[in-house]
C-alpha cells in the first residue's frame, strides 16, 4: 500500500526540482528524502523520478502520484476545516429521533429555536416509537427523546439528560358528571369505558398505566384503541369513554372534552434526552440538549 507521507515527499521533490531543495523545505536531510523516495518506488513497483542534467524529472508514474498527493493534501485540509466547524458547532448533521407525543408539544418548538441559532447544522428528524435507545447505542442516531419510569435510565455509550416529568391527565366528555371536579381520584373512574391511545401501549407507558389502575383497585374496561392522543380525544368527545393522556400530548385540546388532574395515584412518566456519548460534548449537541430542556419546561 502506498504511504501518503512518502507521496507528499515526492510531491515536494517534483515541485522544487531537486532532493536538496525538498530536504530544505521539509526540514529533512537529503539522505532521508532519498530513502523515502526509494521506499515509495518499491511500493509503487516502478521508477518515479529520472535524472535530467543536474536535476530530476518525474516519470509518468511520478507525475501521477505527485498530483494525487496534492489532491490528498487539499482533501485533508478541507477535512480539518470541516472538523473544526463541527467542534465549534457551526456545521454538521444531528440525527434526532422522538416518539409521538414529543412531536406534539416538545420537538417542534425546540427545533425552531435551534435552527434559528444554528442555521448551518442539519437536523435529520424522524418519528420513532420503538427501539430509540438501541438505535442510539448502535450509532444509527445521535439524539433521542425517550421515556423512563421511576429509575433513571442507563446505557453504555449513551448520556441521558432529564428534561421534565410528564404527568397524565384524564380526558372527559364535556357533559360528564365529574367534569366540574378540578381533580379526580382514579378509583372514581373504575366503572368507565376507556379509550386507549396507541402511545399508551408501549412498554414503559403501558406499565405506568397498569400500575396506576392496579393501585386504584380496578382493571380498566377498554372500549377501543385509538391511533394517537388527538383521535383518543375525539372518541372521548363522542362519549365512547374516558382516557388518560400525558400532559405533553395535550397542547391541542378537542373542543368536546375537558382535561382534569388525576390523583391516588397520578401516573407520571419521566422524559429524557439521550445523546451518543461520543458527541454529547460537541457544542451543537449541547445546544440542542439545552434547547430541548428549555422547551420541556
Amino acid at each position: 500500500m502506498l504511504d501518503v507521507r512518502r507521496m507528499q515527499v515526492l510531491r515536494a521533490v517534483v515541485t522544487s526540482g531537486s532532493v536538496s531543495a525538498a530536504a530544505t523545505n521539509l526540514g529533512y536531510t537529503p539522505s532521508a528524502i532519498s530513502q523515502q523516495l526509494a521506499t515509495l518506488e518499491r511500493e509503487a513497483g516502478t521508477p518515479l523520478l529520472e535524472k535530467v542534467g543536474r536535476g530530476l524529472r518525474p516519470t509518468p508514474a511520478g507525475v501521477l502520484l505527485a498530483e494525487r498527493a496534492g489532491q490528498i493534501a487539499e482533501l485533508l485540509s478541507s477535512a480539518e476545516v470541516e472538523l473544526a466547524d463541527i467542534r465549534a458547532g457551526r456545521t454538521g448533521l444531528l440525527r434526532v429521533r422522538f416518539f409521538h407525543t414529543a412531536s406534539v408539544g416538545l420537538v417542534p418548538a425546540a427545533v425552531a429555536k435551534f435552527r434559528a441559532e444554528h442555521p448551518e447544522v442539519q437536523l435529520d428528524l424522524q418519528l420513532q416509537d420503538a427501539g430509540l435507545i438501541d438505535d442510539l447505542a448502535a450509532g444509527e442516531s445521535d439524539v433521542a427523546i425517550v421515556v423512563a419510569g421511576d429509575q433513571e435510565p442507563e446505557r453504555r455509550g449513551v448520556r441521558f439528560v432529564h428534561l421534565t416529568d410528564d404527568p397524565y391527565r384524564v380526558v372527559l366528555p364535556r357533559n360528564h358528571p365529574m367534569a366540574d371536579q378540578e381533580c379526580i381520584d382514579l378509583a372514581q373512574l373504575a366503572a368507565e369505558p376507556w379509550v386507549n391511545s396507541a402511545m399508551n401501549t408501549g412498554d414503559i407507558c403501558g406499565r405506568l398505566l397498569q400500575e396506576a389502575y392496579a393501585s386504584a383497585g380496578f382493571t380498566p374496561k377498554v372500549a377501543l384503541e385509538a391511533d394517537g392522543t388527538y383521535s383518543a380525544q375525539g372518541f372521548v368527545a363522542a362519549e365512547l369513554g374516558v382516557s388518560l393522556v400525558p400532559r405533553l400530548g395535550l397542547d391541542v385540546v378537542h373542543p368536546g372534552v375537558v382535561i382534569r388532574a388525576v390523583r391516588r395515584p397520578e401516573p407520571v412518566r419521566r422524559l429524557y434526552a439521550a445523546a451518543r456519548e461520543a458527541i454529547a460534548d460537541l457544542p451543537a449537541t449541547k445546544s440542542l440538549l439545552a434547547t430541548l430542556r428549555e422547551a420541556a419546561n
Side-chain angles (χ1 to χ4, degrees), residues 1 6 8 25 28 46 112 121 155 212 220 241 251 258 269-270 276 281:
M1 181 179 293
R6 296 189 185 106
Q8 297 302 329
N25 293 337
Y28 295 158
T46 185
V121 179
R155 186 67 174 266
D251 269 21
V258 294
R269 61 182 190 171
R270 306 189 74 200
R276 287 195 298 118
D281 289 322

Side-chain angles (χ1 to χ4, degrees), residues 18-146:
S18 71
V19 168
S20 59
T24 300
N25 293 337
L26 296 177
Y28 295 158
T29 64
S31 63
I33 295 292
S34 297
Q35 290 174 6
Q36 294 288 323
L37 293 174
T39 301
L40 183 61
E41 283 193 339
R42 288 197 298 272
E43 293 172 347
T46 185
L48 301 176
L49 296 166
E50 58 184 3
K51 289 185 178 181
V52 179
R54 295 183 178 180
L56 293 171
R57 180 173 63 191
T59 65
V63 171
L64 172 66
L65 291 188
E67 289 178 350
R68 294 295 183 267
Q71 294 169 355
I72 291 171
E74 291 177 2
L75 184 60
L76 289 174
S77 177
S78 176
E80 289 176 352
V81 171
E82 292 172 358
L83 185 59
D85 284 340
I86 290 174
R87 287 196 300 263
R90 292 188 292 268
T91 60
L93 171 68
L94 287 175
R95 299 164 296 171
V96 184
R97 305 293 181 260
F98 46 90
F99 55 88
H100 175 75
T101 50
S103 70
V104 177
L106 174 58
V107 174
V111 167
K113 185 174 188 299
F114 180 84
R115 281 182 168 166
E117 296 175 351
H118 302 274
E120 296 182 4
V121 179
Q122 300 179 55
L123 293 179
D124 173 13
L125 306 171
Q126 288 188 29
L127 186 68
Q128 180 179 332
D129 283 321
L132 288 161
I133 297 178
D134 289 340
D135 287 356
L136 197 67
E140 296 178 9
S141 61
D142 300 309
V143 175
I145 313 302
V146 300

Side-chain angles (χ1 to χ4, degrees), residues 120-195:
E120 296 182 4
V121 179
Q122 300 179 55
L123 293 179
D124 173 13
L125 306 171
Q126 288 188 29
L127 186 68
Q128 180 179 332
D129 283 321
L132 288 161
I133 297 178
D134 289 340
D135 287 356
L136 197 67
E140 296 178 9
S141 61
D142 300 309
V143 175
I145 313 302
V146 300
V147 179
D150 295 334
Q151 296 183 346
E152 185 170 341
E154 293 183 6
R155 186 67 174 266
R156 185 173 182 179
V158 178
R159 184 181 302 181
F160 293 91
V161 177
H162 180 244
L163 296 179
T164 189
D165 290 340
D166 188 25
Y168 279 79
R169 296 291 182 251
V170 63
V171 183
L172 303 173
R174 276 201 167 274
N175 62 352
H176 192 279
M178 300 180 205
D180 291 335
Q181 296 181 217
E182 290 299 319
C183 190
I184 298 171
D185 287 358
L186 188 56
Q188 291 180 265
L189 302 168
E192 298 284 341
W194 287 84
V195 177

